[in-house]
PDB file of all heavy atoms in Angstrom:
ATOM      1  N   ARG A 160      -0.691  -0.779  -2.574  1.00  0.00           N
ATOM      2  CA  ARG A 160      -1.208  -1.232  -3.862  1.00  0.00           C
ATOM      3  C   ARG A 160      -2.709  -0.957  -3.934  1.00  0.00           C
ATOM      4  O   ARG A 160      -3.414  -1.102  -2.935  1.00  0.00           O
ATOM      5  CB  ARG A 160      -0.945  -2.723  -4.074  1.00  0.00           C
ATOM      6  CG  ARG A 160       0.527  -3.049  -4.226  1.00  0.00           C
ATOM      7  CD  ARG A 160       0.776  -4.550  -4.309  1.00  0.00           C
ATOM      8  NE  ARG A 160       2.194  -4.787  -4.491  1.00  0.00           N
ATOM      9  CZ  ARG A 160       2.814  -4.849  -5.669  1.00  0.00           C
ATOM     10  NH1 ARG A 160       2.115  -4.719  -6.774  1.00  0.00           N
ATOM     11  NH2 ARG A 160       4.118  -5.041  -5.750  1.00  0.00           N
ATOM     12  N   LEU A 161      -3.179  -0.628  -5.135  1.00  0.00           N
ATOM     13  CA  LEU A 161      -4.587  -0.291  -5.311  1.00  0.00           C
ATOM     14  C   LEU A 161      -5.056  -0.782  -6.669  1.00  0.00           C
ATOM     15  O   LEU A 161      -4.361  -0.641  -7.678  1.00  0.00           O
ATOM     16  CB  LEU A 161      -4.787   1.220  -5.185  1.00  0.00           C
ATOM     17  CG  LEU A 161      -6.207   1.772  -5.331  1.00  0.00           C
ATOM     18  CD1 LEU A 161      -6.394   2.987  -4.422  1.00  0.00           C
ATOM     19  CD2 LEU A 161      -6.478   2.191  -6.789  1.00  0.00           C
ATOM     20  N   LEU A 162      -6.233  -1.371  -6.668  1.00  0.00           N
ATOM     21  CA  LEU A 162      -6.911  -1.766  -7.903  1.00  0.00           C
ATOM     22  C   LEU A 162      -8.282  -1.112  -7.936  1.00  0.00           C
ATOM     23  O   LEU A 162      -9.033  -1.182  -6.958  1.00  0.00           O
ATOM     24  CB  LEU A 162      -7.073  -3.287  -7.954  1.00  0.00           C
ATOM     25  CG  LEU A 162      -7.969  -3.843  -9.073  1.00  0.00           C
ATOM     26  CD1 LEU A 162      -7.336  -3.601 -10.426  1.00  0.00           C
ATOM     27  CD2 LEU A 162      -8.223  -5.323  -8.869  1.00  0.00           C
ATOM     28  N   TYR A 163      -8.599  -0.459  -9.046  1.00  0.00           N
ATOM     29  CA  TYR A 163      -9.888   0.237  -9.208  1.00  0.00           C
ATOM     30  C   TYR A 163     -10.612  -0.387 -10.392  1.00  0.00           C
ATOM     31  O   TYR A 163     -10.009  -0.640 -11.442  1.00  0.00           O
ATOM     32  CB  TYR A 163      -9.645   1.719  -9.460  1.00  0.00           C
ATOM     33  CG  TYR A 163     -10.873   2.504  -9.899  1.00  0.00           C
ATOM     34  CD1 TYR A 163     -11.701   3.120  -8.964  1.00  0.00           C
ATOM     35  CD2 TYR A 163     -11.180   2.640 -11.254  1.00  0.00           C
ATOM     36  CE1 TYR A 163     -12.813   3.850  -9.366  1.00  0.00           C
ATOM     37  CE2 TYR A 163     -12.292   3.368 -11.664  1.00  0.00           C
ATOM     38  CZ  TYR A 163     -13.100   3.969 -10.717  1.00  0.00           C
ATOM     39  OH  TYR A 163     -14.195   4.692 -11.119  1.00  0.00           O
ATOM     40  N   ALA A 164     -11.900  -0.635 -10.233  1.00  0.00           N
ATOM     41  CA  ALA A 164     -12.684  -1.210 -11.319  1.00  0.00           C
ATOM     42  C   ALA A 164     -14.082  -0.626 -11.324  1.00  0.00           C
ATOM     43  O   ALA A 164     -14.649  -0.313 -10.275  1.00  0.00           O
ATOM     44  CB  ALA A 164     -12.758  -2.733 -11.170  1.00  0.00           C
ATOM     45  N   ILE A 165     -14.646  -0.496 -12.524  1.00  0.00           N
ATOM     46  CA  ILE A 165     -16.044  -0.114 -12.687  1.00  0.00           C
ATOM     47  C   ILE A 165     -16.774  -1.322 -13.237  1.00  0.00           C
ATOM     48  O   ILE A 165     -16.436  -1.822 -14.313  1.00  0.00           O
ATOM     49  CB  ILE A 165     -16.203   1.077 -13.652  1.00  0.00           C
ATOM     50  CG1 ILE A 165     -15.446   2.305 -13.125  1.00  0.00           C
ATOM     51  CG2 ILE A 165     -17.681   1.410 -13.832  1.00  0.00           C
ATOM     52  CD1 ILE A 165     -15.535   3.511 -14.049  1.00  0.00           C
ATOM     53  N   THR A 166     -17.740  -1.829 -12.497  1.00  0.00           N
ATOM     54  CA  THR A 166     -18.464  -3.009 -12.930  1.00  0.00           C
ATOM     55  C   THR A 166     -19.515  -2.631 -13.962  1.00  0.00           C
ATOM     56  O   THR A 166     -19.754  -1.451 -14.231  1.00  0.00           O
ATOM     57  CB  THR A 166     -19.130  -3.700 -11.723  1.00  0.00           C
ATOM     58  OG1 THR A 166     -20.002  -2.768 -11.081  1.00  0.00           O
ATOM     59  CG2 THR A 166     -18.084  -4.161 -10.725  1.00  0.00           C
ATOM     60  N   GLU A 167     -20.132  -3.646 -14.533  1.00  0.00           N
ATOM     61  CA  GLU A 167     -21.084  -3.404 -15.613  1.00  0.00           C
ATOM     62  C   GLU A 167     -22.263  -2.543 -15.170  1.00  0.00           C
ATOM     63  O   GLU A 167     -22.820  -1.786 -15.958  1.00  0.00           O
ATOM     64  CB  GLU A 167     -21.592  -4.748 -16.148  1.00  0.00           C
ATOM     65  CG  GLU A 167     -20.506  -5.557 -16.853  1.00  0.00           C
ATOM     66  CD  GLU A 167     -21.038  -6.873 -17.374  1.00  0.00           C
ATOM     67  OE1 GLU A 167     -22.237  -7.154 -17.135  1.00  0.00           O
ATOM     68  OE2 GLU A 167     -20.285  -7.607 -18.015  1.00  0.00           O
ATOM     69  N   ASN A 168     -22.644  -2.651 -13.894  1.00  0.00           N
ATOM     70  CA  ASN A 168     -23.768  -1.841 -13.418  1.00  0.00           C
ATOM     71  C   ASN A 168     -23.330  -0.455 -12.950  1.00  0.00           C
ATOM     72  O   ASN A 168     -24.121   0.283 -12.378  1.00  0.00           O
ATOM     73  CB  ASN A 168     -24.501  -2.565 -12.290  1.00  0.00           C
ATOM     74  CG  ASN A 168     -23.601  -2.835 -11.094  1.00  0.00           C
ATOM     75  OD1 ASN A 168     -22.455  -2.395 -11.068  1.00  0.00           O
ATOM     76  ND2 ASN A 168     -24.118  -3.557 -10.114  1.00  0.00           N
ATOM     77  N   GLY A 169     -22.059  -0.115 -13.168  1.00  0.00           N
ATOM     78  CA  GLY A 169     -21.576   1.219 -12.846  1.00  0.00           C
ATOM     79  C   GLY A 169     -21.012   1.377 -11.454  1.00  0.00           C
ATOM     80  O   GLY A 169     -20.520   2.451 -11.108  1.00  0.00           O
ATOM     81  N   LYS A 170     -21.076   0.329 -10.643  1.00  0.00           N
ATOM     82  CA  LYS A 170     -20.522   0.428  -9.291  1.00  0.00           C
ATOM     83  C   LYS A 170     -19.005   0.585  -9.362  1.00  0.00           C
ATOM     84  O   LYS A 170     -18.325  -0.098 -10.114  1.00  0.00           O
ATOM     85  CB  LYS A 170     -20.872  -0.812  -8.476  1.00  0.00           C
ATOM     86  CG  LYS A 170     -20.462  -0.716  -7.007  1.00  0.00           C
ATOM     87  CD  LYS A 170     -20.538  -2.050  -6.283  1.00  0.00           C
ATOM     88  CE  LYS A 170     -21.889  -2.693  -6.389  1.00  0.00           C
ATOM     89  NZ  LYS A 170     -21.942  -3.979  -5.627  1.00  0.00           N
ATOM     90  N   ARG A 171     -18.477   1.489  -8.547  1.00  0.00           N
ATOM     91  CA  ARG A 171     -17.038   1.746  -8.493  1.00  0.00           C
ATOM     92  C   ARG A 171     -16.451   1.023  -7.287  1.00  0.00           C
ATOM     93  O   ARG A 171     -16.881   1.262  -6.160  1.00  0.00           O
ATOM     94  CB  ARG A 171     -16.778   3.251  -8.405  1.00  0.00           C
ATOM     95  CG  ARG A 171     -17.361   4.038  -9.577  1.00  0.00           C
ATOM     96  CD  ARG A 171     -17.364   5.530  -9.317  1.00  0.00           C
ATOM     97  NE  ARG A 171     -18.323   5.903  -8.276  1.00  0.00           N
ATOM     98  CZ  ARG A 171     -18.403   7.128  -7.736  1.00  0.00           C
ATOM     99  NH1 ARG A 171     -17.575   8.078  -8.130  1.00  0.00           N
ATOM    100  NH2 ARG A 171     -19.313   7.395  -6.822  1.00  0.00           N
ATOM    101  N   GLU A 172     -15.493   0.143  -7.529  1.00  0.00           N
ATOM    102  CA  GLU A 172     -14.921  -0.649  -6.453  1.00  0.00           C
ATOM    103  C   GLU A 172     -13.403  -0.542  -6.438  1.00  0.00           C
ATOM    104  O   GLU A 172     -12.757  -0.521  -7.490  1.00  0.00           O
ATOM    105  CB  GLU A 172     -15.346  -2.110  -6.582  1.00  0.00           C
ATOM    106  CG  GLU A 172     -16.858  -2.311  -6.486  1.00  0.00           C
ATOM    107  CD  GLU A 172     -17.241  -3.768  -6.301  1.00  0.00           C
ATOM    108  OE1 GLU A 172     -16.852  -4.354  -5.273  1.00  0.00           O
ATOM    109  OE2 GLU A 172     -17.917  -4.303  -7.188  1.00  0.00           O
ATOM    110  N   VAL A 173     -12.863  -0.489  -5.222  1.00  0.00           N
ATOM    111  CA  VAL A 173     -11.419  -0.354  -5.023  1.00  0.00           C
ATOM    112  C   VAL A 173     -10.964  -1.443  -4.058  1.00  0.00           C
ATOM    113  O   VAL A 173     -11.624  -1.708  -3.053  1.00  0.00           O
ATOM    114  CB  VAL A 173     -11.066   1.032  -4.433  1.00  0.00           C
ATOM    115  CG1 VAL A 173      -9.605   1.078  -4.001  1.00  0.00           C
ATOM    116  CG2 VAL A 173     -11.352   2.131  -5.454  1.00  0.00           C
ATOM    117  N   TRP A 174      -9.820  -2.055  -4.384  1.00  0.00           N
ATOM    118  CA  TRP A 174      -9.180  -2.998  -3.465  1.00  0.00           C
ATOM    119  C   TRP A 174      -7.862  -2.377  -3.039  1.00  0.00           C
ATOM    120  O   TRP A 174      -7.035  -2.001  -3.884  1.00  0.00           O
ATOM    121  CB  TRP A 174      -8.959  -4.339  -4.152  1.00  0.00           C
ATOM    122  CG  TRP A 174     -10.225  -5.102  -4.368  1.00  0.00           C
ATOM    123  CD1 TRP A 174     -10.735  -6.104  -3.597  1.00  0.00           C
ATOM    124  CD2 TRP A 174     -11.159  -4.928  -5.440  1.00  0.00           C
ATOM    125  NE1 TRP A 174     -11.926  -6.550  -4.110  1.00  0.00           N
ATOM    126  CE2 TRP A 174     -12.214  -5.854  -5.244  1.00  0.00           C
ATOM    127  CE3 TRP A 174     -11.211  -4.075  -6.546  1.00  0.00           C
ATOM    128  CZ2 TRP A 174     -13.295  -5.955  -6.109  1.00  0.00           C
ATOM    129  CZ3 TRP A 174     -12.282  -4.170  -7.410  1.00  0.00           C
ATOM    130  CH2 TRP A 174     -13.317  -5.093  -7.187  1.00  0.00           C
ATOM    131  N   LEU A 175      -7.655  -2.277  -1.728  1.00  0.00           N
ATOM    132  CA  LEU A 175      -6.514  -1.530  -1.198  1.00  0.00           C
ATOM    133  C   LEU A 175      -5.679  -2.384  -0.259  1.00  0.00           C
ATOM    134  O   LEU A 175      -6.211  -3.025   0.650  1.00  0.00           O
ATOM    135  CB  LEU A 175      -7.007  -0.282  -0.456  1.00  0.00           C
ATOM    136  CG  LEU A 175      -5.934   0.533   0.295  1.00  0.00           C
ATOM    137  CD1 LEU A 175      -4.962   1.182  -0.703  1.00  0.00           C
ATOM    138  CD2 LEU A 175      -6.583   1.597   1.176  1.00  0.00           C
ATOM    139  N   ASP A 176      -4.372  -2.367  -0.467  1.00  0.00           N
ATOM    140  CA  ASP A 176      -3.405  -2.941   0.469  1.00  0.00           C
ATOM    141  C   ASP A 176      -2.428  -1.834   0.811  1.00  0.00           C
ATOM    142  O   ASP A 176      -1.600  -1.465  -0.016  1.00  0.00           O
ATOM    143  CB  ASP A 176      -2.674  -4.131  -0.163  1.00  0.00           C
ATOM    144  CG  ASP A 176      -1.560  -4.666   0.737  1.00  0.00           C
ATOM    145  OD1 ASP A 176      -1.645  -4.463   1.966  1.00  0.00           O
ATOM    146  OD2 ASP A 176      -0.607  -5.278   0.216  1.00  0.00           O
ATOM    147  N   GLY A 177      -2.528  -1.270   2.006  1.00  0.00           N
ATOM    148  CA  GLY A 177      -1.673  -0.156   2.393  1.00  0.00           C
ATOM    149  C   GLY A 177      -2.509   1.041   2.815  1.00  0.00           C
ATOM    150  O   GLY A 177      -3.533   0.892   3.475  1.00  0.00           O
ATOM    151  N   GLU A 178      -2.091   2.233   2.392  1.00  0.00           N
ATOM    152  CA  GLU A 178      -2.777   3.453   2.803  1.00  0.00           C
ATOM    153  C   GLU A 178      -3.063   4.351   1.611  1.00  0.00           C
ATOM    154  O   GLU A 178      -2.221   4.507   0.717  1.00  0.00           O
ATOM    155  CB  GLU A 178      -1.948   4.217   3.838  1.00  0.00           C
ATOM    156  CG  GLU A 178      -2.644   5.479   4.360  1.00  0.00           C
ATOM    157  CD  GLU A 178      -1.901   6.146   5.506  1.00  0.00           C
ATOM    158  OE1 GLU A 178      -0.700   5.861   5.682  1.00  0.00           O
ATOM    159  OE2 GLU A 178      -2.530   6.940   6.240  1.00  0.00           O
ATOM    160  N   ALA A 179      -4.240   4.961   1.622  1.00  0.00           N
ATOM    161  CA  ALA A 179      -4.617   5.879   0.551  1.00  0.00           C
ATOM    162  C   ALA A 179      -5.586   6.923   1.078  1.00  0.00           C
ATOM    163  O   ALA A 179      -6.390   6.657   1.977  1.00  0.00           O
ATOM    164  CB  ALA A 179      -5.251   5.127  -0.620  1.00  0.00           C
ATOM    165  N   PHE A 180      -5.492   8.119   0.500  1.00  0.00           N
ATOM    166  CA  PHE A 180      -6.443   9.194   0.783  1.00  0.00           C
ATOM    167  C   PHE A 180      -7.326   9.344  -0.452  1.00  0.00           C
ATOM    168  O   PHE A 180      -6.841   9.466  -1.584  1.00  0.00           O
ATOM    169  CB  PHE A 180      -5.727  10.508   1.077  1.00  0.00           C
ATOM    170  CG  PHE A 180      -6.669  11.649   1.364  1.00  0.00           C
ATOM    171  CD1 PHE A 180      -7.190  11.830   2.634  1.00  0.00           C
ATOM    172  CD2 PHE A 180      -7.044  12.532   0.357  1.00  0.00           C
ATOM    173  CE1 PHE A 180      -8.067  12.872   2.913  1.00  0.00           C
ATOM    174  CE2 PHE A 180      -7.919  13.578   0.613  1.00  0.00           C
ATOM    175  CZ  PHE A 180      -8.424  13.749   1.898  1.00  0.00           C
ATOM    176  N   PHE A 181      -8.646   9.358  -0.243  1.00  0.00           N
ATOM    177  CA  PHE A 181      -9.610   9.414  -1.337  1.00  0.00           C
ATOM    178  C   PHE A 181     -10.391  10.722  -1.322  1.00  0.00           C
ATOM    179  O   PHE A 181     -10.828  11.170  -0.260  1.00  0.00           O
ATOM    180  CB  PHE A 181     -10.613   8.259  -1.225  1.00  0.00           C
ATOM    181  CG  PHE A 181     -10.010   6.895  -1.349  1.00  0.00           C
ATOM    182  CD1 PHE A 181      -9.514   6.241  -0.226  1.00  0.00           C
ATOM    183  CD2 PHE A 181      -9.956   6.248  -2.573  1.00  0.00           C
ATOM    184  CE1 PHE A 181      -8.967   4.973  -0.320  1.00  0.00           C
ATOM    185  CE2 PHE A 181      -9.408   4.976  -2.677  1.00  0.00           C
ATOM    186  CZ  PHE A 181      -8.914   4.342  -1.546  1.00  0.00           C
ATOM    187  N   HIS A 182     -10.545  11.307  -2.493  1.00  0.00           N
ATOM    188  CA  HIS A 182     -11.476  12.417  -2.709  1.00  0.00           C
ATOM    189  C   HIS A 182     -12.438  11.926  -3.790  1.00  0.00           C
ATOM    190  O   HIS A 182     -12.151  12.012  -4.980  1.00  0.00           O
ATOM    191  CB  HIS A 182     -10.746  13.674  -3.159  1.00  0.00           C
ATOM    192  CG  HIS A 182     -11.638  14.876  -3.231  1.00  0.00           C
ATOM    193  ND1 HIS A 182     -11.174  16.139  -3.463  1.00  0.00           N
ATOM    194  CD2 HIS A 182     -12.986  15.004  -3.109  1.00  0.00           C
ATOM    195  CE1 HIS A 182     -12.183  16.994  -3.476  1.00  0.00           C
ATOM    196  NE2 HIS A 182     -13.285  16.318  -3.266  1.00  0.00           N
ATOM    197  N   VAL A 183     -13.571  11.407  -3.347  1.00  0.00           N
ATOM    198  CA  VAL A 183     -14.485  10.709  -4.239  1.00  0.00           C
ATOM    199  C   VAL A 183     -15.418  11.690  -4.940  1.00  0.00           C
ATOM    200  O   VAL A 183     -16.011  12.572  -4.313  1.00  0.00           O
ATOM    201  CB  VAL A 183     -15.299   9.659  -3.461  1.00  0.00           C
ATOM    202  CG1 VAL A 183     -16.287   8.952  -4.390  1.00  0.00           C
ATOM    203  CG2 VAL A 183     -14.354   8.640  -2.824  1.00  0.00           C
ATOM    204  N   LYS A 184     -15.563  11.507  -6.233  1.00  0.00           N
ATOM    205  CA  LYS A 184     -16.440  12.339  -7.045  1.00  0.00           C
ATOM    206  C   LYS A 184     -17.856  11.781  -7.043  1.00  0.00           C
ATOM    207  O   LYS A 184     -18.083  10.609  -7.336  1.00  0.00           O
ATOM    208  CB  LYS A 184     -15.915  12.386  -8.494  1.00  0.00           C
ATOM    209  CG  LYS A 184     -16.744  13.212  -9.452  1.00  0.00           C
ATOM    210  CD  LYS A 184     -16.566  14.696  -9.211  1.00  0.00           C
ATOM    211  CE  LYS A 184     -17.236  15.515 -10.299  1.00  0.00           C
ATOM    212  NZ  LYS A 184     -17.064  16.960 -10.097  1.00  0.00           N
ATOM    213  N   HIS A 185     -18.802  12.630  -6.673  1.00  0.00           N
ATOM    214  CA  HIS A 185     -20.204  12.216  -6.705  1.00  0.00           C
ATOM    215  C   HIS A 185     -20.675  12.155  -8.155  1.00  0.00           C
ATOM    216  O   HIS A 185     -20.365  13.023  -8.960  1.00  0.00           O
ATOM    217  CB  HIS A 185     -21.061  13.209  -5.919  1.00  0.00           C
ATOM    218  CG  HIS A 185     -22.521  12.888  -5.945  1.00  0.00           C
ATOM    219  ND1 HIS A 185     -23.061  11.855  -5.224  1.00  0.00           N
ATOM    220  CD2 HIS A 185     -23.547  13.466  -6.620  1.00  0.00           C
ATOM    221  CE1 HIS A 185     -24.367  11.812  -5.438  1.00  0.00           C
ATOM    222  NE2 HIS A 185     -24.684  12.785  -6.274  1.00  0.00           N
ATOM    223  N   THR A 186     -21.414  11.105  -8.517  1.00  0.00           N
ATOM    224  CA  THR A 186     -21.911  10.954  -9.884  1.00  0.00           C
ATOM    225  C   THR A 186     -23.395  11.279  -9.943  1.00  0.00           C
ATOM    226  O   THR A 186     -24.125  11.114  -8.966  1.00  0.00           O
ATOM    227  CB  THR A 186     -21.679   9.519 -10.391  1.00  0.00           C
ATOM    228  OG1 THR A 186     -22.441   8.612  -9.577  1.00  0.00           O
ATOM    229  CG2 THR A 186     -20.208   9.150 -10.318  1.00  0.00           C
ATOM    230  N   THR A 187     -23.846  11.697 -11.113  1.00  0.00           N
ATOM    231  CA  THR A 187     -25.250  12.075 -11.274  1.00  0.00           C
ATOM    232  C   THR A 187     -26.190  10.889 -11.107  1.00  0.00           C
ATOM    233  O   THR A 187     -27.333  11.049 -10.707  1.00  0.00           O
ATOM    234  CB  THR A 187     -25.467  12.708 -12.659  1.00  0.00           C
ATOM    235  OG1 THR A 187     -25.014  11.787 -13.668  1.00  0.00           O
ATOM    236  CG2 THR A 187     -24.693  14.013 -12.780  1.00  0.00           C
ATOM    237  N   SER A 188     -25.679   9.693 -11.409  1.00  0.00           N
ATOM    238  CA  SER A 188     -26.514   8.491 -11.260  1.00  0.00           C
ATOM    239  C   SER A 188     -26.291   7.800  -9.921  1.00  0.00           C
ATOM    240  O   SER A 188     -26.783   6.686  -9.721  1.00  0.00           O
ATOM    241  CB  SER A 188     -26.241   7.511 -12.410  1.00  0.00           C
ATOM    242  OG  SER A 188     -24.857   7.295 -12.557  1.00  0.00           O
ATOM    243  N   HIS A 189     -25.544   8.458  -9.031  1.00  0.00           N
ATOM    244  CA  HIS A 189     -25.376   7.993  -7.650  1.00  0.00           C
ATOM    245  C   HIS A 189     -24.739   6.602  -7.539  1.00  0.00           C
ATOM    246  O   HIS A 189     -25.108   5.808  -6.681  1.00  0.00           O
ATOM    247  CB  HIS A 189     -26.721   7.993  -6.910  1.00  0.00           C
ATOM    248  CG  HIS A 189     -27.470   9.286  -7.015  1.00  0.00           C
ATOM    249  ND1 HIS A 189     -27.050  10.439  -6.375  1.00  0.00           N
ATOM    250  CD2 HIS A 189     -28.592   9.605  -7.703  1.00  0.00           C
ATOM    251  CE1 HIS A 189     -27.901  11.413  -6.660  1.00  0.00           C
ATOM    252  NE2 HIS A 189     -28.838  10.935  -7.460  1.00  0.00           N
ATOM    253  N   GLN A 190     -23.770   6.309  -8.419  1.00  0.00           N
ATOM    254  CA  GLN A 190     -23.113   5.008  -8.308  1.00  0.00           C
ATOM    255  C   GLN A 190     -22.314   4.924  -7.011  1.00  0.00           C
ATOM    256  O   GLN A 190     -21.684   5.897  -6.597  1.00  0.00           O
ATOM    257  CB  GLN A 190     -22.158   4.767  -9.491  1.00  0.00           C
ATOM    258  CG  GLN A 190     -22.850   4.426 -10.786  1.00  0.00           C
ATOM    259  CD  GLN A 190     -22.953   5.636 -11.694  1.00  0.00           C
ATOM    260  OE1 GLN A 190     -22.809   6.766 -11.239  1.00  0.00           O
ATOM    261  NE2 GLN A 190     -23.207   5.403 -12.962  1.00  0.00           N
ATOM    262  N   LYS A 191     -22.341   3.757  -6.408  1.00  0.00           N
ATOM    263  CA  LYS A 191     -21.609   3.548  -5.165  1.00  0.00           C
ATOM    264  C   LYS A 191     -20.104   3.530  -5.417  1.00  0.00           C
ATOM    265  O   LYS A 191     -19.641   3.175  -6.496  1.00  0.00           O
ATOM    266  CB  LYS A 191     -22.033   2.226  -4.513  1.00  0.00           C
ATOM    267  CG  LYS A 191     -23.472   2.198  -4.032  1.00  0.00           C
ATOM    268  CD  LYS A 191     -23.776   0.859  -3.386  1.00  0.00           C
ATOM    269  CE  LYS A 191     -25.210   0.832  -2.868  1.00  0.00           C
ATOM    270  NZ  LYS A 191     -25.540  -0.489  -2.241  1.00  0.00           N
ATOM    271  N   PHE A 192     -19.369   3.915  -4.397  1.00  0.00           N
ATOM    272  CA  PHE A 192     -17.907   3.838  -4.407  1.00  0.00           C
ATOM    273  C   PHE A 192     -17.533   3.038  -3.159  1.00  0.00           C
ATOM    274  O   PHE A 192     -17.778   3.473  -2.032  1.00  0.00           O
ATOM    275  CB  PHE A 192     -17.288   5.236  -4.355  1.00  0.00           C
ATOM    276  CG  PHE A 192     -15.806   5.267  -4.586  1.00  0.00           C
ATOM    277  CD1 PHE A 192     -15.272   5.716  -5.789  1.00  0.00           C
ATOM    278  CD2 PHE A 192     -14.914   4.859  -3.593  1.00  0.00           C
ATOM    279  CE1 PHE A 192     -13.899   5.760  -6.000  1.00  0.00           C
ATOM    280  CE2 PHE A 192     -13.554   4.900  -3.791  1.00  0.00           C
ATOM    281  CZ  PHE A 192     -13.037   5.354  -4.997  1.00  0.00           C
TER     282      PHE A 192
END
Side-chain angles (χ1 to χ4, degrees):
R160 293 175 178 271
L161 180 146
L162 170 67
Y163 169 91
I165 300 179
T166 58
E167 293 180 358
N168 60 5
K170 186 192 305 182
R171 301 167 291 171
E172 298 193 62
V173 170
W174 288 262
L175 174 67
D176 174 25
E178 183 173 18
F180 180 84
F181 297 88
H182 187 172
V183 178
K184 180 74 172 181
H185 178 74
T186 63
T187 56
S188 50
H189 309 290
Q190 285 100 342
K191 294 181 179 179
F192 189 105

